[in-house]
Amino acid sequence: MSPKRAPLFLARRAYRRRRLRDGARLLPFLGLFLFMLPLLWAPAPIRPGHLAEVRNTAWDGLWLVSCWAGLVVMAAILSPLLGREEDDLSDHPDNGPGSAAPRARDTMP
Amino acid sequence: MTFNLLVLACLAYVVFLFLVAFRGERLAAQGRARWLRSPLVYTLSLSIYCTAWTFYGAVGFAARSGLEFMTIYLGPTLVFVGWWWVLRKLVRIGREQRVTSIADLISSRYGKSSLLGVVVTLLCVFASTPYIALQLQSVTLSFGVFAATGDPSWTPPDRTSTALWVAAGLALFTILFGTRNLDADEQHTGIVTAIAVEAVVKLVALLAVGVFVVWFLADGPADIRARIEASQGAHWNLNPSRWVGLTALSATAVLCLPRMFQVLVVENVDERHLATASWAFPLYLLGMTLFVMPIAVVGMGVLPRGANPDLFVLTLPLSQGQGGLAMLAFLGGFSSATSMVIVASIALATMVSNHIVMPLWLRLRPHGEDATDLRRLVLLARRMSIGAILTLGYFYYTLTGGSAALASIGLISFAGVAQLLPAMLGALFWRGASRMGALLGIGIGAAVWSYTLFLPSFGPDAVLPAQVFAEGPWGIGWLRPHALFGIEGMDPLLHAALWSLALNVTVFCLASILTFPGPEERMQGAAFVNVFERDRADLGGWSRGQADPEALLVMANRILGEEEALVYFEQVARAQGKAGYLPDPTPEFLLALERRLAGSVGAATAHAMISELAGRTRVTVEDLMAVASESAQIMEYSARLESQREELTRTARQLREANEKLTQISAQKDGFLSQISHELRTPMTSIRAFSEILMEGDLPPDQAAHYAGIIHDEAIRLTRLLDDLLDLSVLEAGTVQLNLGLANLSQLIDRALAAASATRPERVFVVHRDPMAEQIHLRTDPDRLTQVLINVISNARKYCTAEAPELRITVRRKGGRVLVDFIDNGAGIPKDKQALIFEKFARLTDQTRAGGAGLGLAICREIMVNLGGTVAYLPGQRGAAFRVTLPLRLERGAA
């Protein structure tokens, strides 16, 4: 990308794109955290003959389903934006403002 | 509702699916299937993740272990929401490398290893067997439900024969569809369309049952919540390790299951569809999950104790007299089972035929088979594989007795295919991952999985004796299948998954670090891992207008068959609005043609062929190697030709030279004959004339003496001429007698100079010599050598044209030979004459006839040959120069 063809607002857009991609990368970890949370908030009652604590199934289920729906919504917001950028990536390699880093991160796990 | 009606409904539904698939295929063939390849259809096709297991089994799972069933959906949800990490790369690589299956992906990443392809294929077949059995079981069970509530006078067939019928029917449907066309691409638009329809059916069915349960059986969500709280009891014991483990396992499975890979990667037509699927597929899963818990809870409350919770979806509406809803639910379950079996068996059959049957056949086939047979063979292999895979599933079903809960059977498959995960992620993200690592990792993982989970799933004493479970093989306690390394009390599934994956990953990494990959492996590694770093402009369709349509047609003729190719080309041309058989080579057309060819000759070959014609070449290492060896052969061949040509040229030149020489010699001989007759004639004439005068007898004595003197001189001249000729013929015949003796070269030269000074004595020659160098003692024939020296020196005296003639004589020793050079400062001998001067009767100019007959140098040459040496003209010395070379010691007999 030559500096002439990349005015400030384009770089800003590229920066935004990059942050969006970061968001997409982080989303599964957020999901993982939310899905694993029920492990923490009630002591696991697996001890032989000891079932004192009873999990609130309805509440757990509601929690999981709402987290799930939240994830779906976030992914639905993110993915069209990400999908659209893939088209113009060839024209504008990913460069945030002031960042001359190559696109190596693109493929990093 | 009668059982017959049920069977009829099933058949009608199958026929409907068939029509849908058929229509889809037709539309795709006409190129009007754009909407069939939409993100929506892609997402719906992904729903084959939800099999009959999920449809029926999830409720059973929920009834047995509460919310744990959700893990099966949470894993895939996380994978899809995090599509930017793995799925995007997987799909990109799949499309770039034209991957046909997960076995293809792994084998081509690790240097196109066929062994790895075989291993992965076998693992997938074995891991999928329980899964297919599961579908048979669930369909059989659901049939049983209807049979039990149906007409009492009618006895349903026993469960094994139902399963057999179901298996046979599914095999037939799959073969009819998955392998219908001869140019069967790896993408099956018709099947995908049918799968999408089935996905809608099963979602609608489950939602309908759910709505019925929540709002008709119960009094809405609040009531459900109350019921859940009332009925839960001990059902919801969140086991942390199972919660994490199952989530991870299901996340793995959605990536590694062959059927998921098929719809996710192979059937993908546009990478952007993945972006939609990233949220739409989790949404679908959410829809499939939403009513599972309510159905389970209400079912447990409404139905009698002991009812199989796996079948609540069916029995709940049936118990309420909702036959129609039950039928819908049945069709939903049936859809789940059929779609899974169809896609799984197509995926597995592709793997079996591409990685086991074809390599075997190519190795064993008789030579000279042509490609049309190959196509038929591929289809036959796929059909047989589909049959074999369903047969395997059927046997697994009958062997395990179909007694286990649905969910646990499915998890066996999950753990099996999870063994591919390390190799697959390594393929995508780690360039250091090597073939040996993948092979050993998958091998050991599969071995541990089958020992700890797959074989035990047949039950004690079926494959492994019960004693092995209790005490370990040969009494080795730490090798017990459910307590490896002495760790007891773990859930068998987690135990198997943990150990197999742990060993798998360890061995994979270790072997990858320790081995060195081959060149092709490294190339592929770079191509896979750095798939996004390529020039992006290079991606996508073919560029326009470079391919010659006629060349494309010729190529298509060879592969598709003449008739079919013509029809196809005409079709495309008409779609483009052109008359005739030659469409414009648009990118879409090239892509479509490539896909079509790929079905017959394989994706890589088709791509290479089109690339060649389209002028855009992306070659694989194999191509390069083939090209390299080919060009090496050509180069070798041309080098051979070149050397032959040079030899021929050389020979021709020699022949030409010889010919020229012969012609010249012939001309010389002619010239000489006339000359020698003249030479002979001149003295003879004077001899005759003077002898006639003498015969008159009246001459004064002094006059007579003078005339007699002339006659005498002329006779001497004749004798000398004849002597020379005689000498030459003796020398040439090699019969000359040599008198070998020691001689000092300097003295010989002295003698020669003295003798030669008689020739043109009026000329004063300056002779340059090096007396020191001349002090060489030779063993040779001194008289003959002197003859040569005299001849050379007198030649110089005779022919040197310089005003102040000089002669330089240099003597050198070189090895066992002596070189004597005679160089004068005259005009030298022209190049074209140099070859002639040593010939007999050669004389350069007629003007300077100094009495010789042109035999001098010829005699010299013959003498030198007899003395074991040479005399040659030395070019480039400014004057005429002769070099006499002779051995230091001439051995007798060597001459």
Side-chain angles (χ1 to χ4, degrees):
Chain A
M1 178 167 67
S2 71
K4 268 174 283 174
R5 286 203 313 143
L8 182 64
F9 82 95
L10 246 185
R12 189 174 274 276
R13 248 179 55 185
Y15 180 83
R16 198 70 7 254
R17 269 206 300 271
R18 187 161 188 158
R19 298 291 81 79
L20 273 177
R21 212 169 295 160
D22 290 347
R25 285 203 186 89
L26 288 172
L27 202 55
F29 293 100
L30 174 68
L32 190 68
F33 172 75
L34 293 176
F35 288 158
M36 294 301 143
L37 212 53
L39 291 176
L40 302 175
W41 69 45
I46 296 202
R47 267 172 242 134
H50 186 257
L51 292 173
E53 306 252 2
V54 177
R55 299 196 67 96
N56 191 337
T57 310
W59 171 249
D60 285 357
L62 213 57
W63 165 260
L64 288 173
V65 167
S66 31
C67 290
W68 197 334
L71 276 182
V72 168
V73 169
M74 281 193 266
I77 293 170
L78 275 178
S79 71
L81 299 172
L82 289 168
R84 196 166 54 223
E85 283 134 34
E86 274 220 295
D87 304 338
D88 46 23
L89 270 184
S90 52
D91 307 327
H92 314 297
D94 184 19
N95 277 329
S99 137
R103 274 194 328 237
R105 276 207 52 188
D106 219 352
T107 54
M108 290 278 292
Chain B
M1 161 165 350
T2 65
F3 190 75
N4 285 343
L5 186 63
L6 189 73
V7 173
L8 207 66
C10 265
L11 288 178
Y13 182 65
V14 168
V15 168
F16 166 68
L17 282 185
F18 204 88
L19 287 177
V20 166
F22 190 70
R23 183 85 185 125
E25 210 117 287
R26 278 287 284 282
L27 284 176
Q30 292 165 6
R32 293 197 284 137
R34 192 160 283 272
W35 64 274
L36 288 182
R37 289 309 206 177
S38 65
L40 181 69
V41 172
Y42 179 66
T43 309
L44 286 175
S45 72
L46 291 175
S47 74
I48 54 152
Y49 179 75
C50 304
T51 63
W53 165 27
T54 2
F55 194 81
Y56 296 123
V59 175
F61 204 155
R64 290 187 191 94
S65 11
L67 291 175
E68 196 176 282
F69 80 93
M70 277 195 165
T71 51
I72 303 302
Y73 304 96
L74 294 182
T77 298
L78 292 178
V79 169
F80 270 83
V81 163
W83 66 294
W84 201 262
W85 288 111
V86 179
L87 288 180
R88 192 175 69 106
K89 197 165 191 182
L90 192 64
V91 169
R92 166 64 63 86
I93 289 171
R95 291 173 56 78
E96 286 250 309
Q97 302 284 327
R98 289 165 207 265
V99 165
T100 60
S101 64
I102 187 166
D104 194 25
L105 177 92
I106 290 179
S107 96
S108 75
R109 157 61 177 84
Y110 296 108
K112 311 209 163 140
S113 150
S114 43
L115 179 61
L116 204 48
V118 171
V119 168
V120 173
T121 303
L122 287 179
L123 175 65
C124 285
V125 168
F126 283 114
S128 297
T129 303
Y131 222 136
I132 288 170
L134 178 65
Q135 312 305 314
L136 298 179
Q137 180 179 345
S138 60
V139 173
T140 311
L141 280 177
S142 60
F143 266 113
V145 168
F146 280 89
T149 58
D151 188 357
S153 66
W154 181 81
T155 40
D158 65 352
R159 58 175 198 85
T160 45
S161 64
T162 312
L164 187 60
W165 279 108
V166 172
L170 285 175
L172 190 69
F173 185 85
T174 312
I175 287 171
L176 277 177
F177 254 91
T179 62
R180 198 166 60 86
N181 296 340
L182 260 184
D183 63 343
D185 196 309
E186 301 308 343
Q187 293 193 333
H188 310 82
T189 312
I191 290 275
V192 169
T193 317
I195 300 293
V197 170
E198 289 193 291
V200 174
V201 170
K202 60 193 180 196
L203 183 64
V204 166
L206 202 59
L207 289 178
V209 174
V211 168
F212 170 71
V213 165
V214 173
W215 279 281
F216 293 87
L217 279 183
D219 296 330
D223 182 33
I224 291 291
R225 185 171 176 186
R227 283 181 190 230
I228 288 174
E229 274 165 13
S231 76
Q232 50 176 303
H235 283 306
W236 176 227
N237 293 327
L238 198 153
N239 177 338
S241 59
R242 263 182 84 85
W243 185 257
V244 177
L246 290 185
T247 306
L249 214 51
S250 61
T252 306
V254 82
L255 289 170
C256 295
L257 278 172
R259 67 171 196 278
M260 284 314 290
F261 193 87
Q262 176 82 24
V263 286
L264 189 66
V265 179
V266 181
E267 307 279 358
N268 176 288
V269 283
D270 188 339
E271 282 172 43
R272 277 168 298 186
H273 292 178
L274 196 59
T276 309
S278 75
W279 59 269
F281 182 60
L283 186 63
Y284 185 92
L285 293 180
L286 184 59
M288 290 296 280
T289 330
L290 208 53
F291 292 111
V292 167
M293 202 67 210
I295 294 172
V297 170
V298 173
M300 281 190 291
V302 171
L303 294 172
R305 234 170 223 297
N308 186 352
D310 280 336
L311 294 168
F312 278 177
V313 178
L314 283 179
T315 49
L316 214 49
L318 269 183
S319 71
Q320 304 300 317
Q322 297 285 337
L325 188 58
M327 175 65 86
L328 182 62
F330 172 79
L331 285 183
F334 188 69
S335 296
S336 318
T338 49
S339 54
M340 180 272 164
V341 172
I342 289 167
V343 178
S345 52
I346 286 177
L348 291 173
T350 307
M351 285 158 74
V352 170
S353 78
N354 283 3
H355 294 280
I356 297 180
V357 179
M358 291 316 292
L360 267 183
W361 188 80
L362 286 176
R363 197 164 291 178
L364 301 178
R365 72 168 166 171
H367 284 287
E369 300 271 343
D370 59 315
T372 49
D373 289 326
L374 202 72
R375 281 190 293 158
R376 219 162 293 144
L377 185 87
V378 170
L379 281 186
L380 186 68
R382 290 195 184 168
R383 286 174 184 156
M384 306 266 284
S385 316
I386 288 171
I389 287 157
L390 279 164
T391 312
L392 271 181
Y394 174 72
F395 277 123
Y396 186 90
Y397 170 68
T398 51
L399 267 177
T400 55
S403 56
L406 295 179
S408 61
I409 302 183
L411 288 172
I412 295 173
S413 291
F414 276 23
V417 293
Q419 304 310 321
L420 300 177
L421 187 74
M424 191 165 103
L425 289 186
L428 261 51
F429 295 108
W430 186 26
R431 278 178 66 173
S434 81
R435 190 176 72 91
M436 193 47 82
L439 206 57
L440 292 180
I442 292 175
I444 198 152
V448 172
W449 165 75
S450 64
Y451 178 66
T452 55
L453 198 62
F454 183 62
L455 296 181
S457 74
F458 292 95
D461 280 328
V463 182
L464 297 176
Q467 188 209 347
V468 172
F469 287 94
E471 296 162 22
W474 306 288
I476 304 171
W478 58 272
L479 279 181
R480 276 170 293 163
H482 286 164
L484 273 189
F485 308 111
I487 296 176
E488 295 187 48
M490 267 174 94
D491 181 83
L493 173 76
L494 289 181
H495 171 266
L498 178 77
W499 280 121
S500 58
L501 277 174
L503 289 171
N504 185 337
V505 169
T506 311
V507 170
F508 172 64
C509 294
L510 262 183
S512 292
I513 288 167
L514 294 179
T515 54
F516 195 82
E520 186 157 11
E521 220 181 313
R522 295 173 76 182
M523 286 277 294
Q524 288 292 92
F528 273 55
V529 175
N530 301 335
V531 69
F532 288 113
E533 287 174 21
R534 301 252 197 89
D535 180 16
R536 278 161 192 268
D538 191 37
L539 302 175
W542 299 98
S543 49
R544 189 189 179 86
Q546 286 160 314
D548 174 20
E550 198 163 349
L552 287 171
L553 180 61
V554 169
M555 185 183 66
N557 274 345
R558 270 184 309 190
I559 294 162
L560 298 175
E562 207 147 324
E563 193 53 42
E564 205 182 325
L566 273 180
V567 168
Y568 177 61
F569 272 60
E570 194 184 9
Q571 230 170 48
V572 178
R574 212 178 315 122
Q576 289 180 354
K578 286 184 72 177
Y581 294 102
L582 295 178
D584 285 333
T586 58
E588 298 82 45
F589 168 55
L590 289 180
L591 204 62
L593 181 65
E594 186 191 321
R595 291 225 180 98
R596 219 179 151 92
L597 296 182
S600 302
V601 293
T605 317
H607 190 63
M609 289 171 115
I610 301 259
S611 299
E612 201 174 299
L613 292 181
R616 195 188 75 180
T617 42
R618 191 186 301 154
V619 277
T620 62
V621 182
E622 247 172 21
D623 292 340
L624 283 179
M625 282 176 176
V627 169
S629 73
E630 216 165 77
S631 48
Q633 278 172 13
I634 292 172
M635 272 164 63
E636 195 190 310
Y637 182 65
S638 67
R640 229 171 24 231
L641 278 185
E642 183 73 12
S643 74
Q644 276 174 0
R645 195 185 65 83
E646 270 173 16
E647 203 178 305
L648 281 178
T649 318
R650 212 161 38 237
T651 315
R653 199 165 53 230
Q654 283 168 353
L655 280 176
R656 204 163 46 239
E657 279 173 9
N659 189 35
E660 272 168 19
K661 210 155 130 184
L662 281 176
T663 318
Q664 282 182 4
I665 286 171
S666 160
Q668 269 172 25
K669 229 162 206 166
D670 286 347
F672 179 72
L673 275 178
S674 63
Q675 196 177 352
I676 196 143
S677 42
H678 175 74
E679 291 273 345
L680 288 173
R681 208 191 154 107
T682 316
M684 286 311 270
T685 310
S686 51
I687 287 171
R688 209 176 79 199
F690 285 111
S691 55
E692 272 170 9
I693 295 171
L694 282 179
M695 274 193 294
E696 300 287 320
D698 51 354
L699 286 173
D702 57 333
Q703 193 82 8
H706 177 64
Y707 290 159
I710 292 173
I711 289 172
H712 183 246
D713 283 351
E714 292 300 320
I716 285 173
R717 235 174 91 188
L718 275 175
T719 315
R720 203 170 59 226
L721 186 64
L722 293 173
D723 276 349
D724 278 356
L725 283 171
L726 197 64
D727 200 16
L728 192 64
S729 72
V730 167
L731 282 164
E732 275 183 339
T735 51
V736 68
Q737 190 69 38
L738 295 179
N739 298 316
L740 293 189
L742 271 181
N744 185 305
L745 183 61
S746 180
Q747 288 169 5
L748 294 185
I749 295 175
D750 286 343
R751 253 165 69 191
L753 280 172
S757 58
T759 315
R760 293 184 75 177
E762 74 280 4
R763 301 194 71 176
V764 181
F765 250 82
V766 181
V767 179
H768 301 282
R769 293 177 61 181
D770 181 3
M772 290 312 291
E774 283 170 12
Q775 294 301 326
I776 294 174
H777 288 276
L778 296 167
R779 183 179 165 78
T780 183
D781 184 333
D783 293 333
R784 287 295 190 177
L785 185 58
T786 312
Q787 191 184 344
V788 172
L789 299 181
I790 291 171
N791 206 305
V792 172
I793 293 169
S794 47
N795 270 350
R797 293 190 74 101
K798 260 190 253 177
Y799 301 118
C800 184
T801 50
E803 288 294 317
E806 290 180 14
L807 179 67
R808 190 148 46 85
I809 301 173
T810 58
V811 176
R812 263 181 305 143
R813 276 175 69 169
K814 200 173 181 185
R817 302 183 79 78
V818 180
L819 312 180
V820 190
D821 292 347
F822 299 89
I823 304 163
D824 66 27
N825 58 348
I829 295 171
K831 197 165 170 31
D832 55 330
K833 298 284 180 5
Q834 285 171 7
L836 273 179
I837 49 177
F838 290 103
E839 298 301 330
K840 283 173 276 187
F841 313 124
R843 258 185 312 207
L844 297 188
T845 47
D846 288 333
Q847 290 83 356
T848 49
R849 269 189 285 147
L855 291 174
L857 280 175
I859 290 171
C860 287
R861 190 179 67 175
E862 292 306 324
I863 290 172
M864 287 318 294
V865 168
N866 277 287
L867 289 181
T870 55
V871 55
Y873 185 75
L874 205 59
Q877 304 293 329
R878 285 209 256 174
F882 289 86
R883 166 169 290 179
V884 176
T885 312
L886 72 163
L888 206 54
R889 300 180 59 79
L890 178 66
E891 299 301 332
R892 195 176 289 278

